[in-house]
Amino acid sequence: MTEKTAGLLKNLAQKYEVSSFTESDPSRFLSWYSDVKDVEIASFVAAMLSFGSRKQFIPKIEMLLRQADFSGGIYTWIKTGKFESFCAENDDGEKFYRFYSWKDMYVFFSAIKQLLEEYDSFGLYVRSFSEKLDGKLNSCQKSVLAISNAFENCSIVPKGKNSANKRVQTNEVLYCNTEKNH
């Protein structure tokens, strides 16, 4: 790495790797939990809902995580199906966030629950699916395909080559970096 690149990276880290930046950034949800199973799911949920105005989506994500915390974390909340009553109780005909209904959230969490029932963690599912794919793809590309496959009937998770697919790719970059650190 050149000195110029190293200096640039240090300057960017000083600007962005500080609490004043992460307080208003969706990346803050990566540190909401310490257990890897919770971190995987919280980061995925945050990535899928992180579009539009931060003032709108951050409180929605916080509300979900706080509700999940009453059940011991988002992993337990989803795996035990406690999200089901929460979605049903709040389904008053209004949208959950922007164009996503409470029914959409129910389908989203149900798909995650199915993965957890079969593979015990989001990461184990992604690794298992990725191992079956062509070796010419890198691990993040394989992860995006794994997610597209698992959520094919879920409107919240973008699929294909549309611009919204960057939310899946962003999550996988975060996931790949988290995986390296654990």
Side-chain angles (χ1 to χ4, degrees):
M1 179 181 315
T2 66
E3 271 188 51
K4 183 179 178 182
T5 302
L8 175 63
L9 290 173
K10 285 179 185 177
N11 287 338
L12 290 171
Q14 289 172 347
K15 181 177 180 180
Y16 296 110
E17 295 293 326
V18 294
S19 61
S20 61
F21 177 80
T22 57
E23 286 174 10
S24 65
D25 189 75
S27 66
R28 71 190 233 171
F29 298 113
L30 289 169
S31 61
W32 190 281
Y33 298 106
S34 58
D35 185 281
V36 173
K37 290 179 179 180
D38 284 313
V39 172
E40 290 172 345
I41 297 169
S43 66
F44 182 63
V45 170
M48 295 305 100
L49 297 175
S50 294
F51 63 94
S53 168
R54 290 180 181 192
K55 290 178 182 179
Q56 290 181 344
F57 69 73
I58 286 180
K60 292 293 188 177
I61 297 166
E62 284 178 340
M63 184 254 304
L64 290 173
L65 297 182
R66 288 188 205 295
Q67 183 64 38
D69 288 347
F70 289 121
S71 300
I74 195 155
Y75 173 85
T76 302
W77 187 62
I78 291 177
K79 188 162 184 180
T80 61
K82 296 211 173 152
F83 70 88
E84 294 169 357
S85 60
F86 179 71
C87 289
E89 290 167 8
N90 287 287
D91 191 1
D92 56 3
E94 297 291 318
K95 297 291 184 188
F96 166 72
Y97 173 61
R98 298 196 48 164
F99 39 82
Y100 295 143
S101 68
W102 283 98
K103 173 81 171 150
D104 294 330
M105 295 305 294
Y106 176 86
V107 169
F108 177 53
F109 292 139
S110 294
I112 296 172
K113 181 179 185 234
Q114 183 176 350
L115 291 181
L116 299 181
E117 288 171 345
E118 284 186 53
Y119 297 92
D120 193 49
S121 81
F122 198 88
L124 287 176
Y125 162 72
V126 170
R127 280 189 287 282
S128 176
F129 187 92
S130 297
E131 288 170 358
K132 300 172 191 169
L133 295 174
D134 185 339
K136 294 178 184 175
L137 301 172
N138 68 41
S139 62
C140 287
Q141 290 170 321
K142 290 177 180 181
S143 297
V144 169
L145 288 173
I147 289 169
S148 293
N149 178 71
F151 294 90
E152 64 186 352
N153 297 317
C154 178
S155 63
I156 291 177
V157 179
K159 292 136 210 81
K161 296 181 179 181
N162 62 38
S163 64
N165 199 30
K166 68 184 177 184
R167 290 184 286 139
V168 172
Q169 294 166 351
T170 299
N171 178 72
E172 286 319 297
V173 168
L174 293 172
Y175 171 74
C176 291
N177 289 335
T178 302
E179 185 179 55
K180 289 176 190 172
N181 294 325
H182 288 92

